[in-house]
Amino acid sequence: MVSYRKRGNAWQYEISYKDRDGKYKKLRKSGFLLKSEAILAASKVQTEHPNLLTVKSGSESLVSYYQRWIKVYKQNAVTPITYNKYENTAKHAIELFGDLKLKDLTKLIYQERLNKFAETHARRTVSCFHKQLRACILEALDEKIITTDPTRKAVITGHERPKIAKTLNYDDWTTLLANLDTSKIGEMIIYLAAVTGMRYGEIVGLTANDIDLDKHIINVNKAWDYKYKTGFMKTKTHSSIREITIDQQTVYRLRNFEKNHSLSPSQPIFMNSHGHILVSAEINKILTDRLSALNIPRITFHGLRHTHASILLYKGVSVLSVSRRLGHSNITTTQSTYLHIIKELESQDQDKIISILENASK
Protein backbone atom coordinates (compact mmCIF):
# COMPACT_ATOMS: atom_id res chain seq x y z
CA MET A 1 0.00 0.00 0.00
CA VAL A 2 1.33 3.44 -0.95
CA SER A 3 0.34 6.81 0.47
CA TYR A 4 1.54 10.34 -0.23
CA ARG A 5 1.57 13.46 1.87
CA LYS A 6 3.05 16.89 1.80
CA ARG A 7 5.57 17.79 4.47
CA GLY A 8 6.26 21.50 4.35
CA ASN A 9 7.14 22.33 0.77
CA ALA A 10 8.06 18.75 -0.23
CA TRP A 11 6.16 15.56 -0.96
CA GLN A 12 6.78 12.19 0.69
CA TYR A 13 5.79 8.67 -0.26
CA GLU A 14 5.18 5.91 2.27
CA ILE A 15 5.00 2.25 1.31
CA SER A 16 3.74 -0.37 3.77
CA TYR A 17 5.05 -3.93 3.50
CA LYS A 18 5.62 -7.09 5.56
CA ASP A 19 9.13 -8.13 6.60
CA ARG A 20 10.37 -11.73 6.74
CA ASP A 21 8.71 -12.18 10.15
CA GLY A 22 5.33 -11.02 8.85
CA LYS A 23 5.50 -7.70 10.66
CA TYR A 24 4.40 -4.51 8.94
CA LYS A 25 7.15 -2.05 8.05
CA LYS A 26 7.09 1.32 6.36
CA LEU A 27 9.43 2.63 3.70
CA ARG A 28 9.45 6.40 3.47
CA LYS A 29 11.24 8.92 1.31
CA SER A 30 10.64 12.66 1.05
CA GLY A 31 12.10 15.69 -0.66
CA PHE A 32 10.05 15.64 -3.89
CA LEU A 33 8.94 19.05 -5.13
CA LEU A 34 5.92 17.62 -6.96
CA LYS A 35 3.50 14.86 -6.00
CA SER A 36 3.99 13.34 -9.46
CA GLU A 37 7.70 12.97 -8.72
CA ALA A 38 6.93 11.10 -5.49
CA ILE A 39 4.48 8.82 -7.33
CA LEU A 40 7.06 8.07 -10.03
CA ALA A 41 9.79 7.31 -7.45
CA ALA A 42 7.50 5.01 -5.43
CA SER A 43 6.46 3.21 -8.60
CA LYS A 44 10.10 2.70 -9.56
CA VAL A 45 10.92 1.23 -6.13
CA GLN A 46 8.00 -1.20 -6.32
CA THR A 47 8.97 -2.27 -9.84
CA GLU A 48 12.62 -2.88 -9.04
CA HIS A 49 11.96 -4.40 -5.61
CA PRO A 50 8.64 -6.29 -5.72
CA ASN A 51 8.91 -7.55 -2.13
CA LEU A 52 10.57 -4.35 -0.83
CA LEU A 53 12.85 -6.36 1.45
CA THR A 54 15.74 -5.83 -0.92
CA VAL A 55 15.46 -2.05 -0.61
CA LYS A 56 16.74 -2.26 2.95
CA SER A 57 19.40 -4.78 1.88
CA GLY A 58 20.82 -2.20 -0.49
CA SER A 59 21.85 -0.15 2.53
CA GLU A 60 24.25 -2.90 3.60
CA SER A 61 27.89 -2.21 2.75
CA LEU A 62 29.50 -4.09 -0.10
CA VAL A 63 32.14 -5.47 2.26
CA SER A 64 29.60 -6.71 4.79
CA TYR A 65 27.55 -8.43 2.07
CA TYR A 66 30.70 -10.00 0.60
CA GLN A 67 31.79 -11.33 3.99
CA ARG A 68 28.37 -12.92 4.56
CA TRP A 69 28.37 -14.28 1.00
CA ILE A 70 31.68 -16.11 1.30
CA LYS A 71 30.70 -17.55 4.67
CA VAL A 72 27.43 -18.94 3.28
CA TYR A 73 28.54 -20.02 -0.19
CA LYS A 74 32.26 -20.71 0.08
CA GLN A 75 33.37 -21.65 3.59
CA ASN A 76 32.23 -25.27 3.42
CA ALA A 77 32.42 -25.63 -0.36
CA VAL A 78 36.09 -24.87 -1.09
CA THR A 79 39.43 -25.90 0.40
CA PRO A 80 40.84 -23.89 3.35
CA ILE A 81 43.50 -22.48 1.03
CA THR A 82 40.95 -21.26 -1.50
CA TYR A 83 38.76 -19.83 1.27
CA ASN A 84 41.79 -17.95 2.56
CA LYS A 85 42.02 -16.28 -0.86
CA TYR A 86 38.40 -15.14 -0.54
CA GLU A 87 39.21 -13.71 2.89
CA ASN A 88 42.20 -11.85 1.44
CA THR A 89 39.87 -10.31 -1.13
CA ALA A 90 37.69 -9.10 1.77
CA LYS A 91 40.71 -7.39 3.36
CA HIS A 92 41.51 -5.58 0.12
CA ALA A 93 37.83 -4.67 -0.33
CA ILE A 94 37.78 -3.03 3.11
CA GLU A 95 40.70 -0.79 2.10
CA LEU A 96 39.19 0.06 -1.28
CA PHE A 97 35.46 0.36 -0.60
CA GLY A 98 35.23 1.03 3.13
CA ASP A 99 31.57 1.42 4.18
CA LEU A 100 30.28 2.05 0.66
CA LYS A 101 26.70 0.76 0.41
CA LEU A 102 25.64 -1.71 -2.26
CA LYS A 103 23.02 0.68 -3.59
CA ASP A 104 25.65 3.41 -4.01
CA LEU A 105 28.09 1.24 -5.99
CA THR A 106 28.31 2.44 -9.60
CA LYS A 107 30.36 1.31 -12.58
CA LEU A 108 32.53 4.41 -12.30
CA ILE A 109 33.22 3.92 -8.60
CA TYR A 110 33.97 0.21 -9.09
CA GLN A 111 36.40 0.92 -11.94
CA GLU A 112 38.12 3.69 -9.98
CA ARG A 113 38.72 1.39 -7.00
CA LEU A 114 39.83 -1.45 -9.28
CA ASN A 115 42.33 0.90 -10.94
CA LYS A 116 43.63 1.93 -7.52
CA PHE A 117 44.16 -1.73 -6.60
CA ALA A 118 45.98 -2.27 -9.91
CA GLU A 119 48.51 0.47 -9.06
CA THR A 120 50.26 -1.84 -6.61
CA HIS A 121 49.33 -5.33 -7.85
CA ALA A 122 50.04 -7.57 -10.81
CA ARG A 123 47.40 -7.96 -13.50
CA ARG A 124 46.80 -11.58 -12.52
CA THR A 125 46.13 -10.57 -8.89
CA VAL A 126 43.74 -7.83 -9.99
CA SER A 127 41.89 -10.31 -12.21
CA CYS A 128 41.46 -12.75 -9.31
CA PHE A 129 40.26 -9.96 -7.00
CA HIS A 130 37.73 -8.80 -9.59
CA LYS A 131 36.51 -12.35 -10.29
CA GLN A 132 35.74 -13.08 -6.65
CA LEU A 133 34.13 -9.73 -5.90
CA ARG A 134 32.07 -9.81 -9.09
CA ALA A 135 30.64 -13.24 -8.25
CA CYS A 136 29.30 -11.77 -5.01
CA ILE A 137 27.93 -8.64 -6.70
CA LEU A 138 26.12 -10.74 -9.30
CA GLU A 139 24.45 -12.58 -6.41
CA ALA A 140 23.19 -9.23 -5.13
CA LEU A 141 21.91 -8.53 -8.63
CA ASP A 142 20.05 -11.87 -8.70
CA GLU A 143 18.47 -11.03 -5.35
CA LYS A 144 17.41 -7.65 -6.79
CA ILE A 145 19.30 -5.87 -4.03
CA ILE A 146 20.87 -3.87 -6.85
CA THR A 147 19.31 -3.33 -10.26
CA THR A 148 22.39 -3.05 -12.49
CA ASP A 149 25.78 -4.77 -12.65
CA PRO A 150 28.49 -2.23 -11.70
CA THR A 151 31.21 -4.72 -12.67
CA ARG A 152 30.05 -5.16 -16.27
CA LYS A 153 32.82 -4.49 -18.81
CA ALA A 154 35.30 -3.66 -16.05
CA VAL A 155 38.81 -3.10 -17.40
CA ILE A 156 41.53 -5.21 -15.78
CA THR A 157 44.97 -3.61 -15.54
CA GLY A 158 47.96 -4.09 -13.27
CA HIS A 159 51.73 -4.13 -13.05
CA GLU A 160 53.47 -6.45 -15.45
CA ARG A 161 56.27 -8.28 -13.72
CA PRO A 162 59.68 -7.75 -15.28
CA LYS A 163 60.62 -10.64 -17.53
CA ILE A 164 63.37 -12.84 -16.18
CA ALA A 165 65.04 -15.97 -17.48
CA LYS A 166 63.07 -19.19 -16.93
CA THR A 167 66.05 -21.54 -16.75
CA LEU A 168 69.78 -21.64 -16.17
CA ASN A 169 72.17 -23.07 -18.73
CA TYR A 170 74.22 -26.12 -17.86
CA ASP A 171 77.36 -24.20 -16.83
CA ASP A 172 75.43 -21.79 -14.58
CA TRP A 173 73.51 -24.71 -13.09
CA THR A 174 76.69 -26.59 -12.15
CA THR A 175 78.28 -23.39 -10.81
CA LEU A 176 75.27 -22.79 -8.57
CA LEU A 177 75.34 -26.36 -7.25
CA ALA A 178 79.06 -26.16 -6.46
CA ASN A 179 78.69 -22.93 -4.49
CA LEU A 180 75.67 -23.65 -2.31
CA ASP A 181 76.24 -24.00 1.43
CA THR A 182 73.87 -26.90 2.05
CA SER A 183 74.36 -26.79 5.80
CA LYS A 184 71.94 -23.86 5.66
CA ILE A 185 68.22 -24.58 5.33
CA GLY A 186 67.55 -22.15 2.47
CA GLU A 187 70.49 -23.27 0.33
CA MET A 188 69.78 -26.95 0.93
CA ILE A 189 66.23 -26.35 -0.34
CA ILE A 190 67.63 -24.66 -3.45
CA TYR A 191 70.06 -27.52 -4.02
CA LEU A 192 67.29 -30.14 -3.83
CA ALA A 193 65.10 -28.21 -6.26
CA ALA A 194 67.97 -28.00 -8.73
CA VAL A 195 68.83 -31.72 -8.62
CA THR A 196 65.34 -33.21 -8.28
CA GLY A 197 62.93 -30.81 -10.01
CA MET A 198 60.60 -30.98 -7.01
CA ARG A 199 58.02 -28.29 -6.39
CA TYR A 200 58.63 -25.97 -3.43
CA GLY A 201 55.68 -27.29 -1.42
CA GLU A 202 56.93 -30.85 -1.96
CA ILE A 203 60.43 -30.03 -0.72
CA VAL A 204 59.38 -28.19 2.44
CA GLY A 205 56.86 -30.98 3.09
CA LEU A 206 59.59 -33.60 3.37
CA THR A 207 60.13 -35.37 6.68
CA ALA A 208 63.02 -37.63 7.70
CA ASN A 209 60.77 -40.63 7.03
CA ASP A 210 60.47 -39.60 3.37
CA ILE A 211 64.20 -39.86 2.66
CA ASP A 212 65.97 -43.21 2.28
CA LEU A 213 69.64 -42.34 1.91
CA ASP A 214 70.70 -46.00 1.76
CA LYS A 215 68.52 -46.59 -1.29
CA HIS A 216 69.16 -43.10 -2.73
CA ILE A 217 65.43 -42.35 -2.84
CA ILE A 218 63.20 -39.42 -1.86
CA ASN A 219 59.52 -40.29 -1.45
CA VAL A 220 57.15 -37.51 -2.43
CA ASN A 221 53.78 -38.24 -0.83
CA LYS A 222 52.55 -34.90 0.51
CA ALA A 223 53.25 -31.18 0.43
CA TRP A 224 53.37 -28.32 2.92
CA ASP A 225 51.11 -25.29 2.78
CA TYR A 226 53.85 -22.68 3.12
CA LYS A 227 51.59 -19.89 1.86
CA TYR A 228 48.59 -20.13 4.18
CA LYS A 229 50.29 -22.21 6.89
CA THR A 230 47.61 -24.88 7.25
CA GLY A 231 50.21 -27.65 7.60
CA PHE A 232 50.61 -30.79 5.51
CA MET A 233 48.38 -31.13 2.47
CA LYS A 234 47.88 -33.39 -0.53
CA THR A 235 50.24 -33.22 -3.49
CA LYS A 236 49.14 -31.20 -6.51
CA THR A 237 47.88 -34.31 -8.32
CA HIS A 238 47.80 -38.03 -7.57
CA SER A 239 50.63 -38.56 -10.06
CA SER A 240 52.75 -36.16 -8.00
CA ILE A 241 53.14 -39.00 -5.50
CA ARG A 242 56.39 -40.57 -6.66
CA GLU A 243 59.89 -41.82 -5.84
CA ILE A 244 62.82 -39.70 -6.97
CA THR A 245 66.27 -41.24 -7.31
CA ILE A 246 69.12 -39.05 -6.11
CA ASP A 247 72.86 -39.14 -6.79
CA GLN A 248 75.72 -39.81 -4.37
CA GLN A 249 76.61 -36.12 -3.97
CA THR A 250 73.03 -35.31 -2.94
CA VAL A 251 73.08 -38.24 -0.47
CA TYR A 252 76.34 -36.89 0.99
CA ARG A 253 74.90 -33.38 1.41
CA LEU A 254 71.70 -34.66 2.97
CA ARG A 255 73.66 -36.79 5.47
CA ASN A 256 75.67 -33.73 6.52
CA PHE A 257 72.46 -31.69 6.77
CA GLU A 258 70.97 -34.33 9.09
CA LYS A 259 74.08 -34.18 11.30
CA ASN A 260 73.82 -30.40 11.64
CA HIS A 261 70.09 -30.31 12.35
CA SER A 262 67.94 -32.07 14.91
CA LEU A 263 65.29 -33.78 12.81
CA SER A 264 62.00 -35.24 14.01
CA PRO A 265 60.62 -38.18 11.96
CA SER A 266 57.22 -36.52 11.52
CA GLN A 267 58.25 -32.86 11.37
CA PRO A 268 59.33 -31.11 8.14
CA ILE A 269 63.12 -31.27 7.93
CA PHE A 270 63.29 -27.66 6.75
CA MET A 271 61.32 -26.22 9.67
CA ASN A 272 63.62 -24.13 11.85
CA SER A 273 63.88 -24.22 15.64
CA HIS A 274 61.13 -21.60 15.89
CA GLY A 275 58.68 -23.72 13.93
CA HIS A 276 58.97 -21.52 10.84
CA ILE A 277 59.17 -22.67 7.23
CA LEU A 278 60.43 -20.21 4.63
CA VAL A 279 57.70 -18.73 2.44
CA SER A 280 58.19 -18.23 -1.31
CA ALA A 281 59.34 -14.61 -0.99
CA GLU A 282 62.06 -15.63 1.47
CA ILE A 283 63.41 -18.54 -0.57
CA ASN A 284 63.36 -16.46 -3.75
CA LYS A 285 65.41 -13.75 -2.03
CA ILE A 286 68.00 -16.30 -0.92
CA LEU A 287 68.18 -17.65 -4.48
CA THR A 288 68.41 -14.18 -6.01
CA ASP A 289 71.22 -13.15 -3.64
CA ARG A 290 73.17 -16.34 -4.36
CA LEU A 291 72.80 -15.97 -8.15
CA SER A 292 73.81 -12.32 -7.96
CA ALA A 293 76.93 -13.18 -5.96
CA LEU A 294 77.88 -15.73 -8.63
CA ASN A 295 77.09 -13.32 -11.48
CA ILE A 296 74.45 -15.72 -12.83
CA PRO A 297 71.23 -14.44 -14.49
CA ARG A 298 68.31 -14.32 -12.10
CA ILE A 299 65.59 -16.98 -12.21
CA THR A 300 62.72 -17.71 -9.83
CA PHE A 301 62.75 -20.68 -7.50
CA HIS A 302 60.26 -22.45 -9.79
CA GLY A 303 62.79 -21.87 -12.57
CA LEU A 304 65.02 -24.46 -10.86
CA ARG A 305 62.37 -27.09 -11.67
CA HIS A 306 62.36 -25.99 -15.32
CA THR A 307 66.16 -25.95 -15.34
CA HIS A 308 66.33 -29.51 -14.02
CA ALA A 309 63.89 -30.79 -16.63
CA SER A 310 65.57 -28.89 -19.48
CA ILE A 311 69.04 -30.21 -18.65
CA LEU A 312 67.79 -33.80 -18.44
CA LEU A 313 66.11 -33.47 -21.84
CA TYR A 314 69.20 -31.90 -23.42
CA LYS A 315 71.32 -34.72 -21.99
CA GLY A 316 69.15 -37.31 -23.73
CA VAL A 317 66.82 -38.45 -20.94
CA SER A 318 63.46 -39.55 -22.40
CA VAL A 319 60.43 -37.30 -22.09
CA LEU A 320 58.60 -40.11 -20.29
CA SER A 321 61.29 -40.39 -17.61
CA VAL A 322 61.40 -36.62 -17.13
CA SER A 323 57.61 -36.52 -16.88
CA ARG A 324 57.60 -39.15 -14.14
CA ARG A 325 60.43 -37.46 -12.24
CA LEU A 326 58.54 -34.15 -12.26
CA GLY A 327 55.28 -35.81 -11.21
CA HIS A 328 53.30 -34.60 -14.21
CA SER A 329 49.84 -36.11 -14.59
CA ASN A 330 50.66 -37.21 -18.14
CA ILE A 331 53.42 -36.97 -20.71
CA THR A 332 51.42 -34.41 -22.70
CA THR A 333 51.93 -31.88 -19.91
CA THR A 334 55.69 -32.36 -20.14
CA GLN A 335 55.67 -32.14 -23.93
CA SER A 336 53.65 -28.92 -23.96
CA THR A 337 55.74 -27.31 -21.20
CA TYR A 338 59.07 -28.12 -22.86
CA LEU A 339 57.96 -28.08 -26.50
CA HIS A 340 60.71 -25.64 -27.54
CA ILE A 341 63.39 -27.97 -26.18
CA ILE A 342 61.83 -31.07 -27.70
CA LYS A 343 61.68 -29.38 -31.12
CA GLU A 344 65.35 -28.40 -30.84
CA LEU A 345 66.31 -31.96 -29.90
CA GLU A 346 64.19 -33.30 -32.74
CA SER A 347 66.17 -31.14 -35.16
CA GLN A 348 69.41 -32.60 -33.77
CA ASP A 349 67.97 -36.10 -34.10
CA GLN A 350 67.29 -35.51 -37.78
CA ASP A 351 70.97 -34.72 -38.28
CA LYS A 352 71.88 -37.93 -36.44
CA ILE A 353 69.49 -39.96 -38.60
CA ILE A 354 71.01 -38.61 -41.82
CA SER A 355 74.51 -39.29 -40.49
CA ILE A 356 73.60 -42.90 -39.63
CA LEU A 357 72.06 -43.50 -43.05
CA GLU A 358 74.98 -41.96 -44.90
CA ASN A 359 77.51 -44.08 -42.98
CA ALA A 360 75.42 -47.21 -43.64
CA SER A 361 75.51 -46.68 -47.42
CA LYS A 362 79.31 -46.30 -47.65
Side-chain angles (χ1 to χ4, degrees):
M1 179 180 174
V2 188
S3 61
Y4 305 93
R5 66 171 174 166
K6 197 169 187 180
R7 297 174 61 86
N9 294 323
W11 282 87
Q12 171 187 281
Y13 70 70
E14 180 180 282
I15 307 174
S16 299
Y17 68 98
K18 287 184 179 180
D19 64 12
R20 290 186 174 88
D21 297 323
K23 296 179 180 180
Y24 276 100
K25 299 287 184 179
K26 294 183 184 295
L27 177 67
R28 302 184 183 93
K29 189 172 182 180
S30 59
F32 302 100
L33 295 178
L34 302 174
K35 183 178 181 179
S36 59
E37 292 177 349
I39 293 173
L40 184 63
S43 177
K44 186 172 185 294
V45 168
Q46 288 178 303
T47 301
E48 294 177 347
H49 305 275
N51 61 12
L52 293 180
L53 296 176
T54 55
V55 175
K56 293 294 185 181
S57 299
S59 295
E60 183 176 11
S61 72
L62 168 62
V63 173
S64 172
Y65 184 80
Y66 176 81
Q67 289 172 328
R68 289 198 300 117
W69 178 77
I70 64 172
K71 189 171 183 179
V72 172
Y73 288 98
K74 300 299 177 182
Q75 190 168 32
N76 297 317
V78 299
T79 65
I81 292 176
T82 300
Y83 187 70
N84 197 289
K85 292 178 181 179
Y86 280 99
E87 289 185 312
N88 282 339
T89 292
K91 293 176 183 177
H92 292 309
I94 291 171
E95 296 175 2
L96 293 167
F97 296 97
D99 296 325
L100 182 70
K101 296 177 181 179
L102 277 168
K103 65 180 182 180
D104 296 329
L105 182 62
T106 64
K107 287 186 68 174
L108 183 61
I109 291 174
Y110 184 81
Q111 187 65 61
E112 285 176 342
R113 307 297 163 85
L114 201 61
N115 290 347
K116 183 175 178 61
F117 185 66
E119 290 176 1
T120 53
H121 293 84
R123 183 186 180 91
R124 183 178 177 181
T125 305
V126 177
S127 178
C128 181
F129 173 77
H130 165 67
K131 180 181 178 181
Q132 293 184 345
L133 206 55
R134 184 168 194 258
C136 165
I137 291 171
L138 290 179
E139 196 71 42
L141 184 64
D142 284 346
E143 288 193 86
K144 298 189 183 301
I145 295 173
I146 54 177
T147 57
T148 59
D149 176 13
T151 66
R152 182 173 175 269
K153 293 184 177 181
V155 179
I156 308 300
T157 58
H159 280 300
E160 295 297 336
R161 294 175 181 174
K163 291 184 178 180
I164 60 175
K166 289 186 177 181
T167 62
L168 300 177
N169 61 38
Y170 183 79
D171 289 340
D172 288 339
W173 177 70
T174 54
T175 298
L176 175 64
L177 293 180
N179 287 278
L180 287 170
D181 180 357
T182 48
S183 65
K184 298 178 180 178
I185 288 178
E187 299 197 29
M188 185 70 237
I189 291 174
I190 291 169
Y191 185 89
L192 274 185
V195 298
T196 67
M198 292 170 65
R199 302 177 180 93
Y200 187 61
E202 295 171 345
I203 294 176
V204 293
L206 290 174
T207 63
N209 288 335
D210 299 323
I211 303 173
D212 190 332
L213 296 180
D214 293 329
K215 293 183 179 180
H216 291 207
I217 287 174
I218 292 177
N219 290 289
V220 181
N221 50 57
K222 59 188 174 303
W224 182 267
D225 176 19
Y226 58 89
K227 188 172 184 180
Y228 299 111
K229 302 174 183 177
T230 60
F232 288 114
M233 62 182 187
K234 293 180 179 179
T235 54
K236 186 175 181 180
T237 63
H238 180 71
S239 56
S240 297
I241 299 174
R242 62 200 188 278
E243 288 186 351
I244 298 177
T245 304
I246 54 176
D247 63 291
Q248 186 60 49
Q249 179 62 214
T250 302
V251 170
Y252 171 76
R253 289 183 180 247
L254 281 170
R255 284 196 194 280
N256 285 337
F257 184 84
E258 286 182 347
K259 291 177 182 177
N260 294 324
H261 296 80
S262 178
L263 304 182
S264 167
S266 58
Q267 181 177 294
I269 64 173
F270 296 119
M271 179 179 283
N272 67 18
S273 58
H274 302 291
H276 175 68
I277 287 182
L278 297 172
V279 296
S280 57
E282 291 172 314
I283 195 65
N284 271 298
K285 185 179 186 308
I286 295 171
L287 175 60
T288 298
D289 290 346
R290 175 51 64 194
L291 293 173
S292 177
L294 297 171
N295 199 28
I296 296 174
R298 182 192 167 211
I299 62 167
T300 63
F301 183 87
H302 194 70
L304 295 171
R305 176 173 166 85
H306 291 313
T307 297
H308 182 73
S310 300
I311 288 173
L312 293 184
L313 290 170
Y314 275 126
K315 292 295 183 178
V317 178
S318 72
V319 177
L320 178 60
S321 294
V322 172
S323 181
R324 288 176 175 170
R325 190 170 178 86
L326 294 180
H328 282 165
S329 55
N330 54 66
I331 195 171
T332 304
T333 302
T334 314
Q335 289 172 325
S336 60
T337 304
Y338 302 102
L339 182 61
H340 61 293
I341 297 173
I342 294 170
K343 283 185 174 180
E344 186 176 335
L345 293 173
E346 184 180 356
S347 176
Q348 295 175 13
D349 286 343
Q350 295 301 321
D351 294 337
K352 291 179 183 178
I353 292 170
I354 296 301
S355 177
I356 291 170
L357 294 175
E358 286 180 345
N359 289 331
S361 60
K362 287 181 180 179

